[in-house]
């Protein structure tokens, strides 16, 4: 991995930039530049043919000054230690941005889960949960779904953790099915938050949302719900993409129809009959739209394509989709980027609500969850926008600055600085 695209080095540079702009003492960056603990595990799995295959997994725990570690688990062929370290770092600041009492964690397994049978997938999931059981817990580290995992996987892992520890602990994983101690509104939460943040930015920029053109990169869980909610807010989603293609409909897609197509087409957009045209998947980012929602993987918007982006607002559904070099270019061009640590914080926000419900044995309504999520994220946006204006910086730096202020206070009160 080239250093320029190394997500962990990018995360460290972002933290350093925010610390410098805040004028924090050197000890703050020194503590926050590395995770407190990174665990690597080898998971032996009995395959359907009787052979045993070992998979490598990780869990990175960045900082717990504010509260327990919190962050997703991804099953993907490109998972590596630097990636989980970066994602755990971003999670610390994402939690700080919206003010939930967590620190950052992240984990993953190097695997293409689509090559596994259902039984192999479950055995791998349970094996990973057993392997990390000694370092997680309801009040220690609370994982959640990410790329390649799901609510079903969280249910398997919760069950395996409880078998391994002998304790009833439904709050040890979040993002679980509603029928298995999950929260209403959790599935929709990240995409809903991306849409809320796009709406908030549009309001600040005096861009009418009614009829605004939107492109969504990555029509998975996050992207599909971001598209659904932004269209319900009045915008037109005119382009969507996944790993296979980009679809364009200048009149605006019927998002529920697209979501239904995914269910019936092995989660692929190809073959959808309602599109005007089909393009290469990489063409979406530079289409002529008002709002761009990158909801795929990191390093999608780079120095190579940032000059060609026509959107006025970018609301980042993915983690780290914009490189530092691209950020600088977009800044110069006046493009407002609602940074990932704010825009996609809806997932961890509702995971926090799920955790509260698990610890208190309470159940909240869908409406209560979404109302509380919107209130919390809109308040965070307003606070960050004000700081952005005051410091004459961008949303990403302002978000990091607010989060670092909160973490610095916790570190100081603990006597660590």
């Amino acid at each position: 991995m080239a250093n320029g695209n190394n997500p962990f080095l990018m995360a460290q540079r972002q933290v350093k930039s925010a610390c410098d702009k805040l004028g924090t003492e050197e000890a703050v960056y020194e503590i926050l530049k590395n995770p407190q603990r990174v665990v690597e595990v080898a998971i032996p799995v009995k395959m359907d043919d009787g052979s045993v295959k070992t998979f490598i997994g990780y869990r990175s725990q960045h900082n717990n000054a504010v509260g327990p570690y919190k962050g997703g688990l991804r099953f993907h062929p490109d998972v590596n230690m630097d990636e989980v370290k970066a994602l755990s770092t971003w999670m610390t600041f994402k939690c700080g941005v919206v003010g939930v009492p967590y620190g950052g964690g992240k984990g993953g397994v190097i695997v293409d889960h689509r090559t596994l049978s259902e039984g192999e997938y479950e055995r791998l999931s349970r094996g990973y949960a057993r392997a990390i059981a000694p370092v997680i817990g309801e009040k220690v580290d609370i994982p959640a779904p990410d790329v390649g995992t799901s609510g079903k996987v969280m249910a398997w892992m919760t069950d395996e953790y409880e078998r391994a520890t002998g304790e009833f602990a439904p709050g040890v994983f979040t993002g679980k099915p509603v029928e298995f101690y999950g929260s209403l509104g959790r599935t929709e939460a990240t995409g809903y938050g991306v849409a809320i943040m796009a709406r908030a930015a549009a309001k600040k920029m005096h861009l009418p949302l009614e009829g605004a053109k939107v492109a969504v990169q990555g029509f998975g869980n996050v992207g599909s719900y971001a598209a659904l909610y932004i269209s319900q807010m009045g915008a037109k989603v005119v382009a969507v993409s996944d790993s296979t293609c980009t679809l364009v409909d200048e009149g605006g897609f019927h998002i529920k129809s697209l979501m239904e197509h995914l269910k019936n087409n092995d989660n692929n957009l190809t073959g959808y009959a309602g599109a005007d045209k089909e393009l290469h998947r990489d063409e979406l980012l530079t289409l002529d739209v008002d709002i761009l929602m990158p909801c795929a993987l990191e390093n999608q918007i780079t120095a190579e394509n940032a000059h060609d982006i026509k959107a006025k607002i970018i609301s980042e559904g993915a983690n780290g989709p914009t490189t530092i070099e691209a950020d600088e270019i977009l800044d110069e061009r006046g493009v407002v980027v609602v940074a990932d640590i704010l825009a996609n914080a809806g997932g961890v926000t509702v995971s926090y609500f799920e955790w509260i419900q698990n610890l208190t044995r309470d159940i909240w309504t869908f409406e209560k969850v979404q109302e509380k999520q919107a209130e919390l994220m809109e308040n965070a946006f307003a606070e960050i926008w004000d700081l952005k204006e005051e410091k004459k910086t961008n949303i990403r730096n302002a978000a990091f600055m607010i989060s670092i202020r909160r973490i610095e206070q916790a570190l100081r009160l603990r006597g660590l600085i």
Side-chain angles (χ1 to χ4, degrees), residues 216-293:
V216 180
Q217 183 201 37
F219 201 75
N221 176 264
V222 176
S224 61
Y225 281 110
L228 178 65
Y229 284 110
I230 200 72
S231 65
Q232 289 178 358
M233 293 170 188
K236 285 194 306 183
V237 178
V238 298
V240 295
S241 72
D242 64 5
S243 60
T244 64
C245 68
T246 289
L247 299 180
V248 176
D249 185 340
E250 292 297 341
F253 283 102
H254 185 276
I255 304 302
K256 287 188 176 178
S257 171
L258 264 178
M259 293 168 81
E260 190 62 30
H261 173 77
L262 282 185
K263 283 183 188 174
N264 300 325
N265 195 45
D266 198 27
N267 284 322
N268 287 330
L269 286 173
T270 50
Y272 179 69
D276 291 341
K277 56 185 172 181
E278 185 174 312
L279 307 173
H280 187 274
R281 65 181 187 179
D282 295 338
E283 293 184 72
L284 177 132
L285 293 172
T286 55
L287 293 175
D288 187 8
V289 295
D290 300 301
I291 299 170
L292 174 63
M293 295 175 166

Side-chain angles (χ1 to χ4, degrees), residues 16-17 46 53 81 122 125 185 188 210 213 231 245 258 274 278 310-311 315 358 391 407:
K16 183 70 166 68
S17 174
K46 189 168 184 179
K53 185 173 180 181
M81 188 175 285
E122 179 175 353
S125 301
E188 299 85 353
E210 191 68 38
K213 294 195 292 184
S231 65
C245 68
L258 264 178
E278 185 174 312
K310 300 173 183 66
S315 188
N358 290 160
K391 298 289 185 181
I407 297 161

Side-chain angles (χ1 to χ4, degrees), residues 4 88 135 160 179 240 249 256 268 289 322 328:
S88 70
V135 297
E160 195 64 32
E179 302 81 7
V240 295
D249 185 340
K256 287 188 176 178
N268 287 330
V289 295
T322 309
E328 292 169 356

Side-chain angles (χ1 to χ4, degrees), residues 78-142:
D78 295 335
V79 164
N80 60 75
M81 188 175 285
D82 274 351
E83 180 187 57
V84 296
K85 286 163 70 174
L87 293 167
S88 70
T89 303
W90 284 321
M91 277 301 302
T92 293
F93 301 106
K94 189 182 299 183
C95 295
V97 161
V98 287
V100 299
Y102 287 139
K106 203 74 180 186
V109 177
I110 306 170
V111 63
D112 182 350
H113 73 280
R114 294 170 299 183
T115 65
L116 305 177
S117 70
E118 184 80 353
E120 291 167 342
Y121 190 25
E122 179 175 353
R123 292 192 289 276
L124 174 59
S125 301
R126 289 180 176 276
Y128 178 79
R130 277 197 311 276
I132 66 166
V135 297
I136 65 172
E138 283 186 319
K139 298 178 181 177
V140 180
D141 183 358
I142 304 104

